[in-house]
């Protein structure tokens, strides 16, 4: 059954000519992306529709597919994406080359160090996330290689992939399953979570804890997920020995180039380097947290009670996900298209540089079928409504 929140009405089935192109369905997982996703994920990734379902998911899928067929383009990276990859990697490498070549004074050191942090933020949102979804290339090796951007930024690419696929894309906004809703007792993100007295202040202290999000990932979360897992799917997963080796090697590499070498080679004060390191992570943590939190946990999105609440995963996505600033190309360029979040969940393996026209298709088709499409005109407005939700959940029992 569909909840009344979706507001569907009876509509006429629209017949459209079948695709003549060999283009794959953009609303289905590719075989090679499913390697770390539970079988349950297929219930929400809509490779096909049951006979009883309404025509909306079918028509939407057909139109999204047709975009690539009509344009005769690949859903993978285009020229814009390769420019972004090159620019991001060049700024990261260039900032560190400049640090050692110029041997700047303290203030210039901090400026270049922060530039490298901004490059890391850009790479995480624009390159690492897409590569995690095999969205950059049809060649698995290319995606796998670029996925190590996570490890370069101090985060286990292997564990992030598991948590993101098994713990989010397959269970959006489901309490106890969606890893993005794990508040560690500090936050109450869903109405199904028990409320503590201090949660009434969570909309006030949220930004502080979001700012230390990436520090938590680097020093705690990855190790916790490997050695002290809380999710059942992590407890059941037998991680390859090489992933343990990559975990420790990646952390050692990251801490060496970020903390040790500036002190040993550049003779910078440990306190100066540590301060710059923390400042970089405050920027990364706050930025990444807000980019993602404003797409699912806002006061207008829905929190299903169980997986079977929707007849089709398309409705689940529309009820639990919201877009923001989709008409602002600068925002989309900086945040890796994640402001077009409904399209991202509908087409997880499509490169984000294609999201803008796909979002227009999604919005128009949803309006045609009377399916609510959630969006905010600006990111600032989306952040405001995220904080409104936190305040509501902090005060409601």
């Amino acid at each position: 059954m569909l909840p009344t929140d979706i507001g569907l009405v009876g509509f006429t089935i629209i017949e459209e000519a079948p695709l003549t192109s060999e283009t794959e369905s953009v609303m289905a997982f590719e075989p090679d992306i499913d390697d770390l996703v539970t079988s349950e994920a297929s219930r929400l990734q809509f490779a096909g529709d049951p006979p009883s379902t309404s025509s909306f998911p079918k028509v939407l899928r057909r139109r999204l597919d047709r975009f690539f067929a009509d344009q005769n383009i690949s859903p993978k990276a285009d020229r814009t994406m390769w420019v972004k990859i090159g620019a991001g990697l060049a700024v990261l490498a260039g900032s560190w080359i400049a640090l050692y070549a110029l041997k700047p004074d303290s203030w210039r050191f901090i400026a270049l160090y922060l530039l490298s942090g901004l490059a890391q933020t850009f790479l995480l949102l624009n390159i690492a996330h897409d590569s995690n979804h095999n969205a950059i290339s049809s060649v698995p090796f290319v995606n796998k290689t670029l996925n190590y951007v996570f490890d370069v930024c101090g985060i286990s690419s292997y564990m992030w992939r598991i948590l993101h696929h098994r713990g989010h894309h397959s269970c959006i906004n489901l309490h106890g399953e969606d890893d993005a809703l794990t508040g560690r007792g500090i936050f109450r993100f869903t109405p199904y979570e028990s409320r503590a007295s201090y949660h009434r202040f969570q909309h006030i202290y949220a930004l502080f804890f979001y700012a230390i999000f990436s520090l938590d990932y680097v020093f705690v979360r990855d190790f916790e997920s490997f050695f002290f897992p809380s999710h059942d799917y992590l407890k059941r997963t037998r991680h390859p020995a090489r992933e343990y080796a990559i975990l420790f090697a990646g952390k050692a590499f990251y801490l060496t180039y970020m903390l040790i070498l500036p002190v040993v080679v550049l003779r910078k004060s440990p306190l100066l380097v540590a301060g710059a390191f923390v400042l970089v992570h405050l920027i990364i943590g706050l930025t990444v947290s807000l980019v993602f939190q404003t797409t699912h946990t806002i006061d207008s999105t829905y929190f299903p009670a169980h997986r079977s609440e929707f007849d089709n995963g398309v409705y689940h996505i529309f009820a639990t996900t919201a877009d923001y600033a989709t008409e602002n190309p600068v925002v989309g360029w900086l945040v890796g298209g994640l402001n077009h979040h409904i399209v991202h969940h509908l087409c997880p393996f499509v490169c984000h540089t294609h999201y803008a026209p796909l979002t227009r298709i999604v919005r128009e088709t949803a309006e045609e079928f009377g399916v609510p499409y959630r969006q905010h005109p600006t990111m600032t407005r989306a952040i405001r409504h995220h904080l409104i939700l936190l305040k509501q959940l902090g005060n409601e029992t």
Side-chain angles (χ1 to χ4, degrees):
M1 296 296 292
L2 294 175
T4 55
D5 175 82
I6 299 302
L8 291 174
V9 296
F11 30 69
T12 304
I13 295 179
I14 297 178
E15 295 294 338
E16 298 186 1
L19 292 176
T20 57
S21 167
E22 295 296 323
T23 304
E24 60 196 321
S25 172
V26 299
M27 288 173 64
F29 263 126
E30 290 179 310
D32 60 353
I33 199 174
D34 203 35
D35 55 343
L36 290 175
V37 186
T38 58
S39 59
E40 295 171 319
S42 61
R43 297 177 62 182
L44 294 183
Q45 294 302 337
F46 25 87
D49 303 316
S52 61
T53 193
S54 70
S55 63
F56 171 65
K58 295 180 181 179
V59 172
L60 179 59
R61 181 175 66 247
R62 193 154 53 238
R63 291 177 180 176
L64 292 173
D65 288 341
R66 183 169 291 283
F67 170 80
F68 294 99
D70 289 348
Q71 299 292 323
N72 194 28
I73 58 176
S74 167
K76 303 304 182 183
D78 55 11
R79 182 179 300 177
T80 299
M81 183 60 177
W82 289 112
V83 168
K84 294 182 78 171
I85 292 172
L89 294 174
V91 172
L92 179 63
S95 61
W96 282 97
I97 291 173
L99 277 172
Y100 290 96
L102 302 178
K103 297 182 179 179
D105 58 24
S106 296
W107 288 111
R108 289 185 177 85
F109 170 83
I110 292 176
L112 286 170
Y113 199 97
L114 290 181
L115 180 61
S116 77
L118 292 174
Q120 289 180 40
T121 307
F122 180 84
L123 289 170
L124 287 170
L125 293 172
N126 287 270
I127 285 77
H129 182 257
D130 271 35
S131 64
N132 169 76
H133 283 288
N134 291 352
I136 295 178
S137 173
S138 300
V139 180
F141 175 77
V142 174
N143 295 301
K144 181 66 174 178
T145 300
L146 290 172
N147 208 34
Y148 283 117
V149 164
F150 276 113
D151 300 271
V152 171
C153 296
I155 299 171
S156 168
S157 56
Y158 169 80
M159 186 54 65
W160 198 90
R161 183 173 173 85
I162 293 178
L163 292 174
H164 191 62
H165 286 293
R166 291 183 178 176
H168 178 60
H169 271 258
S170 68
C171 52
I172 308 167
N173 277 13
L174 284 170
H175 174 65
E177 297 189 58
D178 189 345
D179 184 71
L181 301 179
T182 302
R184 297 191 172 208
I186 300 173
F187 292 104
R188 185 184 188 223
F189 284 132
T190 80
Y192 304 107
E193 192 163 354
S194 59
R195 176 184 171 275
S197 59
Y198 54 81
H199 284 147
R200 67 181 184 273
F201 304 112
Q202 65 179 5
H203 62 291
I204 299 174
Y205 61 68
L207 298 184
F208 168 77
F209 283 101
Y210 290 169
I212 62 175
F213 161 80
S214 59
L215 283 170
D216 177 53
Y217 247 100
V218 171
F219 291 106
V220 179
R221 188 70 190 280
D222 282 338
F223 295 105
E224 182 180 69
S225 298
F226 268 97
F227 299 103
F228 308 101
S230 56
H231 294 296
D232 288 339
Y233 59 82
L234 286 179
K235 295 176 181 178
R236 296 193 301 266
T237 300
R238 184 177 180 180
H239 308 299
R242 65 184 178 84
E243 296 301 340
Y244 287 95
I246 294 174
L247 170 69
F248 288 104
K251 299 292 185 182
F253 172 76
Y254 178 72
L255 296 177
T256 297
Y257 87 81
M258 288 290 286
L259 290 174
I260 298 175
L261 291 182
V263 174
V264 174
V265 178
L266 295 178
R267 306 293 183 185
K268 296 299 180 184
S269 162
L271 187 61
L272 175 69
V273 175
F277 178 81
V278 171
L279 187 56
V280 160
H281 276 281
L282 295 181
I283 294 172
I284 295 175
L286 186 60
T287 302
V288 174
S289 294
L290 289 178
V291 165
F292 281 98
Q293 291 287 18
T294 49
T295 59
H296 295 295
T297 50
I298 58 174
D299 60 339
S300 62
T301 49
Y302 184 66
F303 294 88
H306 48 78
R307 284 177 175 266
S308 58
E309 192 162 339
F310 297 89
D311 290 339
N312 187 285
V314 173
Y315 298 116
H316 185 119
I317 288 173
F318 272 84
T320 59
T321 311
D323 290 346
Y324 59 85
T326 57
E327 299 301 320
N328 189 330
V330 175
V331 173
W333 202 87
L334 291 174
V335 305
L338 290 168
N339 55 322
H340 298 266
H341 215 69
I342 293 176
V343 161
H344 168 60
H345 276 278
L346 291 173
C347 314
F349 62 84
V350 170
C351 182
H352 75 262
T353 51
H354 300 298
Y355 284 177
L358 296 180
T359 291
R360 286 191 284 273
I361 294 172
V362 166
R363 183 170 57 241
E364 292 168 1
T365 306
E367 181 179 359
E368 179 182 333
F369 281 89
V371 177
Y373 167 75
R374 293 164 174 81
Q375 65 172 327
H376 293 107
T378 65
M379 186 175 184
T380 302
R381 186 77 62 85
I383 293 172
R384 178 173 176 269
H385 283 272
H386 169 63
L387 296 177
I388 287 174
L389 174 68
L390 291 186
K391 185 175 182 179
Q392 290 175 348
L393 292 174
N395 287 281
E396 295 175 357
T397 55

